[in-house]
Amino acid sequence: MAPAPVEGPARHSTGSRLYPRVTSFRSRRGALTPGQRESWERMWPTIGRQVADEPIDAAAWFGRDAPLVIEIGCGTGTATAAMAQAEPHLNLLGIEVYTPGLAQLVQRIEREDIRNIRMLRGDAVDVLENMIAAHSLTGVRVFFPDPWPKARHHKRRLLQPATFALIADRLRPGGVLHVATDHADYAEHIHEVGMAEPLLRGLNATTGGDADSARATAPIGFERPVTKFEDKAHRAGSAITEFIWGKIEQ
């Protein structure tokens, strides 16, 4: 069955699909190693795609019908791979613009024969607007998004009211949004904006819920593997703030 048309705001009318006019990520450059390039050429045509206008038929792409979870900004894929292996019953879709990071994940997928990961290279908001149908996601994970700490750059932060509304629309009832940040100011912003989204209810202490109770019935796990990035934040004394919301049952 063909995927349902994706409803939502129109995509950016200026800038390329990969680098829209205002982005929530920093453009980083880096060359692939020969081994990464070889793995990429073997695996990417099957497990990777560029952002596009066509809605995703997840069941066809993954070769099975399973709950779909998106990770926005999967980086080098350390957490993505670990969570995919811990949750083999889920289909995990990582979104990232940094090719060397994606290439590291491609290598790990091939080396460890991980079957339940697919990847999109492009802007996450573009993906959510144009490739994901309403009420189709079981989970959305956003771990350590760029805080854009300078006040003049705050508009570039990914987690704005419009993005929360878009994520909430794409989640199915009971679906989970899990966010983590090590930046105190961004944490305050995320809390304020997330708590104002009427379709979401708190599932952990930070959001006014009870994680122990919510965990028993949640469709995805609340645990995250500690990445090198997070370990570095811990050593620097930065507090990690976790936000977990569930979409209200309508």
Side-chain angles (χ1 to χ4, degrees):
M1 183 173 66
V6 179
E7 299 176 356
R11 67 178 173 89
H12 300 285
S13 60
T14 59
S16 72
R17 296 305 297 271
L18 183 57
Y19 299 108
R21 183 176 57 84
V22 176
T23 66
S24 61
F25 54 83
R26 298 177 191 274
S27 175
R28 295 176 290 173
R29 298 182 182 276
L32 305 189
T33 67
Q36 289 173 343
R37 175 62 63 186
E38 292 172 5
S39 186
W40 182 280
E41 291 175 354
R42 286 191 297 267
M43 300 293 292
W44 184 259
T46 300
I47 65 173
R49 296 180 184 175
Q50 302 283 350
V51 62
D53 285 325
E54 295 77 19
I56 294 170
D57 184 342
W61 194 9
F62 282 86
R64 65 174 188 172
D65 190 6
L68 181 62
V69 177
I70 281 181
E71 183 184 357
I72 296 176
C74 60
T76 60
T78 301
T80 312
M83 289 185 293
Q85 291 169 318
E87 300 173 318
H89 61 290
L90 300 179
N91 288 340
L92 302 186
L93 176 60
I95 304 173
E96 179 58 65
V97 297
Y98 183 49
T99 302
L102 289 169
Q104 288 187 49
L105 179 54
V106 168
Q107 272 195 312
R108 182 167 177 179
I109 289 170
E110 183 177 37
R111 182 175 64 249
E112 300 180 18
D113 193 26
I114 304 172
R115 305 292 182 88
N116 59 327
I117 297 177
R118 299 292 183 268
M119 290 171 282
L120 281 170
R121 183 170 184 250
D123 178 62
V125 173
D126 198 352
V127 171
L128 289 167
E129 288 177 343
N130 297 291
M131 303 185 75
I132 304 297
H135 321 305
S136 64
L137 299 178
T138 293
V140 175
R141 289 165 168 156
V142 189
F143 299 151
F144 306 101
D146 196 321
W148 293 100
K150 294 182 180 179
R152 68 177 183 272
H153 291 155
H154 284 183
K155 65 183 179 181
R156 294 178 178 269
R157 288 175 168 175
L158 171 69
L159 295 172
Q160 306 287 359
T163 314
F164 267 98
L166 181 59
I167 290 171
D169 178 75
R170 292 336 189 214
L171 285 171
R172 68 170 179 79
V176 172
L177 169 60
H178 186 175
V179 179
T181 182
D182 66 329
H183 191 275
D185 178 68
Y186 200 9
E188 291 182 6
H189 170 86
I190 292 168
H191 184 269
E192 178 182 356
V193 175
M195 297 302 289
E197 170 49 54
L199 292 180
L200 299 177
R201 64 183 183 90
L203 298 183
N204 72 334
T206 310
T207 57
D210 180 352
D212 291 335
S213 175
R215 187 179 283 109
T217 57
I220 67 173
F222 293 172
E223 292 72 29
R224 293 184 300 102
V226 177
T227 64
K228 291 181 180 179
F229 175 87
E230 184 173 354
D231 187 54
K232 182 179 179 181
H234 281 301
R235 292 198 306 271
S238 300
I240 308 299
T241 306
E242 303 262 359
F243 304 89
I244 305 177
W245 285 280
K247 184 170 179 179
I248 62 173
E249 303 279 352
Q250 295 176 301

